[in-house]
């Protein structure tokens, strides 16, 4: 009868809402993790750019000393100064990328941009790790198919359609 059909459908819809919640949770967690690692990599890039700038400054000092004693031509100073300017520009771009990555992470963490925590600097503490253990591809794919919330939702839609088909066949 229709009442039992509705009960069975609502049970499936409850499972669908659970699958939707899991999907949303997975999405939020993965976006936060991605923003966290982007911030970590942007900070690392900023450190590298600063080190490059310091090396260019040392190179300029060496070239200046060599020009002073006459072993290098004054034209080489212009080359080094150009390289130094390029390094400074790269550092400024990396500082901007750190700021953007930090703001992206803060937007995911804090609802209110006027919160006092918004002004705090976020510094990632984790470092990327590489695991060299072999992975059984078939087992991983099977587990992935079983645990995908959107696939579970589609299976539940299929179950609801089967309930409807069974009910309408019975009604005819």
């Amino acid at each position: 009868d229709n009442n039992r059909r509705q009960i069975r459908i609502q049970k499936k819809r409850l499972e669908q809402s659970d699958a939707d919640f899991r999907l949303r949770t997975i999405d939020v967690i993965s976006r936060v993790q991605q923003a966290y690692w982007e911030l970590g990599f942007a900070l690392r890039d900023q450190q590298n750019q600063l080190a490059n700038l310091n090396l260019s400054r040392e190179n300029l000092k060496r070239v200046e000393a060599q020009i002073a004693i006459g072993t290098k031509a004054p034209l080489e100073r212009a080359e080094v100064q150009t390289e130094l300017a390029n390094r400074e520009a790269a550092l400024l771009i990396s500082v901007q990328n750190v700021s953007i990555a930090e703001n992206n992470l803060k937007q995911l963490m804090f609802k209110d941009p006027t919160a006092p925590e918004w002004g705090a600097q976020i510094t990632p503490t984790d470092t990327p790790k590489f695991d060299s253990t072999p992975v059984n591809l078939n087992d991983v794919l099977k587990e992935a198919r079983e645990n995908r919330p959107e696939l579970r939702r589609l299976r539940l839609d299929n179950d609801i359609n089967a309930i409807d088909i069974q009910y309408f066949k019975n009604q005819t």
Side-chain angles (χ1 to χ4, degrees):
D1 60 33
N2 191 38
N3 291 336
R4 288 186 189 153
R5 171 183 161 252
Q6 290 299 327
I7 290 171
R8 291 173 65 198
I9 288 175
Q10 291 309 316
K11 284 182 182 178
K12 296 293 181 184
R13 297 225 188 272
L14 182 63
E15 290 179 43
Q16 278 183 331
S17 66
D18 181 55
D20 291 341
F21 174 74
R22 288 177 191 271
L23 182 63
R24 178 78 175 132
T25 303
I26 289 169
D27 180 54
V28 168
I29 290 171
S30 64
R31 286 189 1 226
V32 169
Q33 284 178 340
Q34 182 178 356
Y36 178 85
W37 288 115
E38 284 177 2
L39 175 60
F41 292 135
L43 284 169
R44 181 65 183 215
D45 181 55
Q46 180 182 4
Q47 291 171 353
N48 291 340
Q49 296 300 333
L50 183 59
N52 289 342
L53 179 64
N54 290 334
L55 287 174
S56 292
R57 286 180 179 156
E58 288 178 23
N59 191 22
L60 180 62
K61 288 178 187 176
R62 259 185 292 150
V63 168
E64 290 283 343
Q66 289 174 341
I67 290 172
I69 60 172
T71 59
K72 291 241 184 206
L75 181 60
E76 294 203 29
R77 178 185 304 127
E79 285 181 24
V80 175
Q81 287 174 336
T82 301
E83 182 63 28
L84 185 63
N86 289 338
R87 301 287 181 187
E88 287 174 346
L91 178 62
L92 291 175
I93 290 171
S94 68
V95 168
Q96 181 183 10
N97 289 339
V98 167
S99 179
I100 290 170
E102 190 174 33
N103 286 339
N104 288 340
L105 182 58
K106 286 178 182 178
Q107 283 177 348
L108 293 170
M109 292 174 55
F110 308 119
K111 284 187 177 232
D112 185 18
T114 61
E117 296 89 5
W118 189 270
Q121 181 179 359
I122 298 175
T123 305
T125 56
D126 294 343
T127 56
K129 295 178 183 149
F130 179 71
D131 188 11
S132 63
T133 57
V135 176
N136 185 342
L137 186 61
N138 291 331
D139 291 344
V140 171
L141 288 175
K142 180 182 176 190
E143 183 181 347
R145 281 188 210 106
E146 290 172 359
N147 292 326
R148 295 287 302 260
E150 61 271 15
L151 294 178
R152 174 138 176 79
R153 190 174 205 304
L154 290 173
R155 279 188 231 113
L156 291 168
D157 274 339
N158 195 20
D159 292 347
I160 290 172
N161 289 339
I163 290 169
D164 282 339
I165 289 170
Q166 180 184 12
Y167 170 75
F168 289 123
K169 279 185 180 178
N170 182 284
Q171 293 300 304
T172 55

